[in-house]
Short mmCIF file of all heavy atoms in Angstrom, two decimals:
data_model
loop_
_atom_site.label_atom_id
_atom_site.label_comp_id
_atom_site.label_asym_id
_atom_site.label_seq_id
_atom_site.Cartn_x
_atom_site.Cartn_y
_atom_site.Cartn_z
N LEU A 33 86.91 101.47 87.90
CA LEU A 33 87.35 100.59 86.82
C LEU A 33 88.32 101.36 85.95
O LEU A 33 88.07 102.53 85.60
CB LEU A 33 86.17 100.14 85.97
CG LEU A 33 85.04 99.41 86.69
CD1 LEU A 33 83.88 99.17 85.73
CD2 LEU A 33 85.54 98.10 87.29
N TYR A 34 89.43 100.71 85.58
CA TYR A 34 90.48 101.38 84.81
C TYR A 34 90.85 100.50 83.62
O TYR A 34 91.11 99.31 83.79
CB TYR A 34 91.72 101.61 85.68
CG TYR A 34 91.41 102.44 86.90
CD1 TYR A 34 91.02 101.83 88.08
CD2 TYR A 34 91.48 103.83 86.85
CE1 TYR A 34 90.71 102.58 89.20
CE2 TYR A 34 91.17 104.59 87.97
CZ TYR A 34 90.79 103.96 89.14
OH TYR A 34 90.48 104.69 90.24
N ARG A 35 90.91 101.13 82.46
CA ARG A 35 91.32 100.40 81.26
C ARG A 35 92.76 100.78 80.95
O ARG A 35 93.07 101.96 80.74
CB ARG A 35 90.41 100.77 80.10
CG ARG A 35 90.67 99.98 78.86
CD ARG A 35 89.62 100.27 77.81
NE ARG A 35 89.78 99.36 76.68
CZ ARG A 35 88.89 99.24 75.71
NH1 ARG A 35 87.79 99.95 75.73
NH2 ARG A 35 89.10 98.40 74.72
N VAL A 36 93.63 99.77 80.93
CA VAL A 36 95.04 99.99 80.60
C VAL A 36 95.38 99.05 79.45
O VAL A 36 95.43 97.83 79.63
CB VAL A 36 95.95 99.71 81.81
CG1 VAL A 36 97.42 99.94 81.43
CG2 VAL A 36 95.56 100.57 83.01
N ASN A 37 95.55 99.63 78.27
CA ASN A 37 95.75 98.85 77.04
C ASN A 37 94.57 97.86 76.90
O ASN A 37 93.44 98.28 76.87
CB ASN A 37 97.11 98.15 77.05
CG ASN A 37 98.24 99.17 77.12
OD1 ASN A 37 98.18 100.22 76.47
ND2 ASN A 37 99.24 98.88 77.93
N ASP A 38 94.85 96.57 76.89
CA ASP A 38 93.77 95.60 76.70
C ASP A 38 93.23 95.03 78.01
O ASP A 38 92.37 94.14 77.99
CB ASP A 38 94.26 94.43 75.84
CG ASP A 38 94.53 94.86 74.41
OD1 ASP A 38 93.88 95.83 73.96
OD2 ASP A 38 95.39 94.26 73.77
N ALA A 39 93.73 95.53 79.13
CA ALA A 39 93.32 94.98 80.42
C ALA A 39 92.42 95.96 81.17
O ALA A 39 92.46 97.18 80.95
CB ALA A 39 94.55 94.68 81.27
N VAL A 40 91.59 95.42 82.05
CA VAL A 40 90.73 96.24 82.92
C VAL A 40 91.03 95.86 84.37
O VAL A 40 91.16 94.66 84.69
CB VAL A 40 89.24 96.02 82.61
CG1 VAL A 40 88.36 96.82 83.57
CG2 VAL A 40 88.93 96.42 81.16
N TYR A 41 91.16 96.87 85.21
CA TYR A 41 91.44 96.66 86.63
C TYR A 41 90.35 97.31 87.47
O TYR A 41 89.76 98.32 87.06
CB TYR A 41 92.81 97.25 86.99
CG TYR A 41 93.93 96.63 86.19
CD1 TYR A 41 94.40 97.24 85.02
CD2 TYR A 41 94.48 95.41 86.56
CE1 TYR A 41 95.39 96.66 84.25
CE2 TYR A 41 95.47 94.81 85.80
CZ TYR A 41 95.93 95.44 84.66
OH TYR A 41 96.90 94.84 83.90
N ALA A 42 90.13 96.73 88.63
CA ALA A 42 89.09 97.24 89.54
C ALA A 42 89.73 97.50 90.90
O ALA A 42 90.35 96.60 91.48
CB ALA A 42 87.96 96.23 89.67
N MET A 43 89.57 98.71 91.40
CA MET A 43 90.18 99.10 92.67
C MET A 43 89.17 99.91 93.47
O MET A 43 88.45 100.75 92.90
CB MET A 43 91.43 99.94 92.38
CG MET A 43 92.24 100.31 93.59
SD MET A 43 93.85 101.03 93.13
CE MET A 43 93.33 102.65 92.52
N GLU A 44 89.10 99.64 94.77
CA GLU A 44 88.16 100.37 95.61
C GLU A 44 88.32 101.87 95.38
O GLU A 44 89.44 102.37 95.29
CB GLU A 44 88.40 100.02 97.08
CG GLU A 44 87.27 100.45 97.97
CD GLU A 44 87.44 99.88 99.38
OE1 GLU A 44 87.13 98.69 99.58
OE2 GLU A 44 87.90 100.62 100.25
N ASP A 45 87.19 102.56 95.32
CA ASP A 45 87.21 103.95 94.87
C ASP A 45 87.22 104.94 96.03
O ASP A 45 86.43 105.89 96.06
CB ASP A 45 86.01 104.22 93.96
CG ASP A 45 86.23 105.45 93.09
OD1 ASP A 45 87.39 105.76 92.79
OD2 ASP A 45 85.22 106.08 92.72
N ALA A 46 88.13 104.70 96.98
CA ALA A 46 88.26 105.63 98.10
C ALA A 46 89.74 105.78 98.43
O ALA A 46 90.40 104.79 98.77
CB ALA A 46 87.50 105.10 99.32
N CYS A 47 90.25 106.98 98.30
CA CYS A 47 91.65 107.22 98.61
C CYS A 47 91.89 107.00 100.11
O CYS A 47 91.13 107.50 100.94
CB CYS A 47 92.02 108.65 98.22
SG CYS A 47 93.75 109.05 98.53
N PRO A 48 92.96 106.27 100.46
CA PRO A 48 93.22 106.03 101.89
C PRO A 48 93.65 107.29 102.64
O PRO A 48 93.65 107.27 103.88
CB PRO A 48 94.34 104.98 101.87
CG PRO A 48 94.94 105.06 100.52
CD PRO A 48 93.88 105.56 99.59
N HIS A 49 93.95 108.36 101.94
CA HIS A 49 94.33 109.59 102.63
C HIS A 49 93.11 110.27 103.24
O HIS A 49 93.04 110.46 104.44
CB HIS A 49 95.05 110.54 101.66
CG HIS A 49 95.44 111.84 102.29
ND1 HIS A 49 95.39 113.04 101.63
CD2 HIS A 49 95.90 112.11 103.54
CE1 HIS A 49 95.79 114.01 102.45
NE2 HIS A 49 96.12 113.46 103.61
N ALA A 50 92.12 110.59 102.42
CA ALA A 50 90.94 111.29 102.95
C ALA A 50 89.66 110.86 102.25
O ALA A 50 88.65 111.57 102.31
CB ALA A 50 91.13 112.79 102.85
N GLY A 51 89.71 109.73 101.55
CA GLY A 51 88.49 109.15 101.02
C GLY A 51 88.01 109.68 99.69
O GLY A 51 86.95 109.28 99.21
N TYR A 52 88.78 110.55 99.05
CA TYR A 52 88.36 111.11 97.76
C TYR A 52 88.25 109.98 96.72
O TYR A 52 89.04 109.05 96.74
CB TYR A 52 89.37 112.16 97.30
CG TYR A 52 88.87 113.08 96.25
CD1 TYR A 52 88.09 114.19 96.58
CD2 TYR A 52 89.15 112.85 94.90
CE1 TYR A 52 87.62 115.05 95.60
CE2 TYR A 52 88.68 113.70 93.92
CZ TYR A 52 87.92 114.79 94.28
OH TYR A 52 87.44 115.63 93.31
N PRO A 53 87.30 110.04 95.79
CA PRO A 53 87.18 108.99 94.77
C PRO A 53 88.38 108.99 93.82
O PRO A 53 88.58 109.96 93.06
CB PRO A 53 85.89 109.31 94.02
CG PRO A 53 85.31 110.53 94.64
CD PRO A 53 86.24 111.05 95.69
N LEU A 54 89.15 107.91 93.86
CA LEU A 54 90.34 107.83 93.01
C LEU A 54 89.99 107.81 91.53
O LEU A 54 90.79 108.22 90.68
CB LEU A 54 91.16 106.59 93.38
CG LEU A 54 91.82 106.66 94.76
CD1 LEU A 54 92.34 105.29 95.18
CD2 LEU A 54 92.94 107.69 94.75
N SER A 55 88.79 107.35 91.19
CA SER A 55 88.39 107.27 89.79
C SER A 55 88.33 108.65 89.13
O SER A 55 88.34 108.74 87.90
CB SER A 55 87.03 106.58 89.66
OG SER A 55 86.03 107.32 90.33
N GLU A 56 88.30 109.69 89.92
CA GLU A 56 88.27 111.05 89.35
C GLU A 56 89.66 111.59 89.07
O GLU A 56 89.82 112.68 88.52
CB GLU A 56 87.51 112.00 90.28
CG GLU A 56 86.05 111.62 90.39
CD GLU A 56 85.25 112.60 91.23
OE1 GLU A 56 85.72 113.73 91.47
OE2 GLU A 56 84.14 112.22 91.65
N GLY A 57 90.69 110.81 89.47
CA GLY A 57 92.06 111.25 89.24
C GLY A 57 92.54 110.94 87.83
O GLY A 57 91.90 110.22 87.08
N GLN A 58 93.70 111.48 87.49
CA GLN A 58 94.30 111.28 86.18
C GLN A 58 94.97 109.92 86.12
O GLN A 58 95.74 109.57 87.02
CB GLN A 58 95.34 112.38 85.92
CG GLN A 58 95.96 112.35 84.55
CD GLN A 58 94.98 112.80 83.46
OE1 GLN A 58 94.15 113.68 83.70
NE2 GLN A 58 95.10 112.22 82.29
N LEU A 59 94.68 109.14 85.07
CA LEU A 59 95.32 107.84 84.87
C LEU A 59 96.46 108.01 83.88
O LEU A 59 96.26 108.47 82.75
CB LEU A 59 94.29 106.84 84.33
CG LEU A 59 94.79 105.42 84.09
CD1 LEU A 59 95.22 104.76 85.39
CD2 LEU A 59 93.71 104.59 83.39
N ASP A 60 97.67 107.63 84.32
CA ASP A 60 98.85 107.73 83.46
C ASP A 60 99.49 106.34 83.44
O ASP A 60 100.12 105.94 84.43
CB ASP A 60 99.81 108.78 84.02
CG ASP A 60 101.02 108.98 83.12
OD1 ASP A 60 101.06 108.43 82.01
OD2 ASP A 60 101.96 109.68 83.56
N GLY A 61 99.33 105.62 82.37
CA GLY A 61 99.78 104.23 82.34
C GLY A 61 98.95 103.42 83.32
O GLY A 61 97.72 103.41 83.23
N CYS A 62 99.63 102.80 84.29
CA CYS A 62 98.92 102.00 85.30
C CYS A 62 98.72 102.76 86.60
O CYS A 62 98.26 102.17 87.58
CB CYS A 62 99.72 100.73 85.60
SG CYS A 62 99.85 99.63 84.20
N VAL A 63 99.08 104.03 86.63
CA VAL A 63 99.03 104.78 87.88
C VAL A 63 97.96 105.87 87.82
O VAL A 63 97.97 106.70 86.90
CB VAL A 63 100.41 105.40 88.21
CG1 VAL A 63 100.33 106.27 89.45
CG2 VAL A 63 101.45 104.30 88.38
N VAL A 64 97.08 105.85 88.80
CA VAL A 64 96.09 106.92 88.93
C VAL A 64 96.53 107.81 90.09
O VAL A 64 96.96 107.32 91.14
CB VAL A 64 94.66 106.37 89.13
CG1 VAL A 64 94.50 105.64 90.46
CG2 VAL A 64 93.64 107.48 89.00
N SER A 65 96.45 109.11 89.88
CA SER A 65 96.83 110.07 90.92
C SER A 65 95.57 110.72 91.47
O SER A 65 94.74 111.25 90.71
CB SER A 65 97.76 111.13 90.36
OG SER A 65 98.97 110.54 89.95
N CYS A 66 95.44 110.68 92.77
CA CYS A 66 94.25 111.25 93.42
C CYS A 66 94.14 112.74 93.10
O CYS A 66 95.11 113.49 93.20
CB CYS A 66 94.34 111.02 94.93
SG CYS A 66 92.90 111.61 95.83
N ASP A 67 92.94 113.14 92.73
CA ASP A 67 92.70 114.54 92.36
C ASP A 67 92.79 115.48 93.56
O ASP A 67 93.01 116.67 93.39
CB ASP A 67 91.31 114.68 91.74
CG ASP A 67 91.38 115.09 90.28
OD1 ASP A 67 92.50 115.12 89.72
OD2 ASP A 67 90.32 115.38 89.70
N ALA A 68 92.63 114.95 94.76
CA ALA A 68 92.59 115.83 95.93
C ALA A 68 93.98 116.32 96.33
O ALA A 68 94.22 117.52 96.45
CB ALA A 68 91.91 115.13 97.10
N HIS A 69 94.93 115.39 96.54
CA HIS A 69 96.26 115.79 97.01
C HIS A 69 97.38 115.06 96.30
O HIS A 69 98.52 115.12 96.73
CB HIS A 69 96.38 115.55 98.53
CG HIS A 69 95.23 116.08 99.31
ND1 HIS A 69 94.21 115.26 99.76
CD2 HIS A 69 94.92 117.34 99.70
CE1 HIS A 69 93.31 116.00 100.40
NE2 HIS A 69 93.71 117.26 100.38
N GLY A 70 97.05 114.32 95.24
CA GLY A 70 98.08 113.77 94.37
C GLY A 70 98.67 112.43 94.73
O GLY A 70 99.61 111.99 94.06
N TRP A 71 98.16 111.74 95.74
CA TRP A 71 98.75 110.43 96.06
C TRP A 71 98.54 109.49 94.87
O TRP A 71 97.42 109.38 94.34
CB TRP A 71 98.09 109.83 97.28
CG TRP A 71 98.48 110.45 98.59
CD1 TRP A 71 99.06 111.67 98.80
CD2 TRP A 71 98.30 109.87 99.89
NE1 TRP A 71 99.24 111.89 100.14
CE2 TRP A 71 98.79 110.81 100.84
CE3 TRP A 71 97.78 108.66 100.33
CZ2 TRP A 71 98.77 110.55 102.20
CZ3 TRP A 71 97.75 108.42 101.70
CH2 TRP A 71 98.24 109.35 102.62
N PRO A 72 99.61 108.77 94.46
CA PRO A 72 99.50 107.86 93.31
C PRO A 72 99.25 106.41 93.73
O PRO A 72 99.74 105.95 94.77
CB PRO A 72 100.89 107.98 92.66
CG PRO A 72 101.81 108.21 93.83
CD PRO A 72 101.01 108.96 94.89
N PHE A 73 98.51 105.68 92.90
CA PHE A 73 98.25 104.26 93.15
C PHE A 73 98.30 103.49 91.84
O PHE A 73 97.72 103.92 90.84
CB PHE A 73 96.87 104.06 93.81
CG PHE A 73 96.80 104.72 95.16
CD1 PHE A 73 96.34 106.02 95.29
CD2 PHE A 73 97.26 104.06 96.28
CE1 PHE A 73 96.31 106.65 96.52
CE2 PHE A 73 97.23 104.68 97.52
CZ PHE A 73 96.77 105.97 97.64
N ASP A 74 98.99 102.35 91.89
CA ASP A 74 99.04 101.46 90.74
C ASP A 74 97.73 100.67 90.72
O ASP A 74 97.44 99.92 91.67
CB ASP A 74 100.24 100.51 90.87
CG ASP A 74 100.48 99.68 89.63
OD1 ASP A 74 99.49 99.23 89.01
OD2 ASP A 74 101.65 99.47 89.28
N VAL A 75 96.96 100.82 89.68
CA VAL A 75 95.62 100.20 89.63
C VAL A 75 95.71 98.68 89.52
O VAL A 75 94.72 97.98 89.74
CB VAL A 75 94.75 100.78 88.49
CG1 VAL A 75 94.55 102.28 88.68
CG2 VAL A 75 95.33 100.46 87.12
N ARG A 76 96.90 98.14 89.18
CA ARG A 76 97.07 96.68 89.08
C ARG A 76 97.26 96.05 90.45
O ARG A 76 96.93 94.89 90.66
CB ARG A 76 98.28 96.33 88.21
CG ARG A 76 98.16 96.85 86.79
CD ARG A 76 99.48 96.70 86.08
NE ARG A 76 100.53 97.47 86.76
CZ ARG A 76 101.80 97.50 86.43
NH1 ARG A 76 102.21 96.80 85.39
NH2 ARG A 76 102.67 98.23 87.10
N THR A 77 97.85 96.83 91.38
CA THR A 77 98.22 96.27 92.68
C THR A 77 97.58 96.98 93.87
O THR A 77 97.56 96.43 94.97
CB THR A 77 99.74 96.37 92.87
OG1 THR A 77 100.11 97.76 92.92
CG2 THR A 77 100.48 95.67 91.73
N GLY A 78 97.14 98.21 93.67
CA GLY A 78 96.60 99.01 94.76
C GLY A 78 97.66 99.73 95.58
O GLY A 78 97.32 100.49 96.49
N PHE A 79 98.94 99.50 95.27
CA PHE A 79 100.02 100.13 96.04
C PHE A 79 100.39 101.51 95.48
O PHE A 79 100.32 101.75 94.28
CB PHE A 79 101.28 99.27 96.02
CG PHE A 79 101.27 98.17 97.04
CD1 PHE A 79 100.97 96.88 96.65
CD2 PHE A 79 101.57 98.40 98.36
CE1 PHE A 79 100.96 95.84 97.58
CE2 PHE A 79 101.56 97.38 99.30
CZ PHE A 79 101.26 96.10 98.91
#
Side-chain angles (χ1 to χ4, degrees):
L33 302 174
Y34 302 90
R35 185 173 188 169
V36 180
N37 299 320
D38 292 332
V40 177
Y41 300 96
M43 185 169 72
E44 194 170 282
D45 200 28
C47 181
H49 179 218
Y52 198 82
L54 291 167
S55 62
E56 295 184 17
Q58 184 72 34
L59 181 64
D60 183 9
C62 295
V63 176
V64 66
S65 296
C66 183
D67 245 8
H69 312 100
W71 286 19
F73 297 92
D74 188 320
V75 300
R76 299 169 300 177
T77 65
F79 277 101

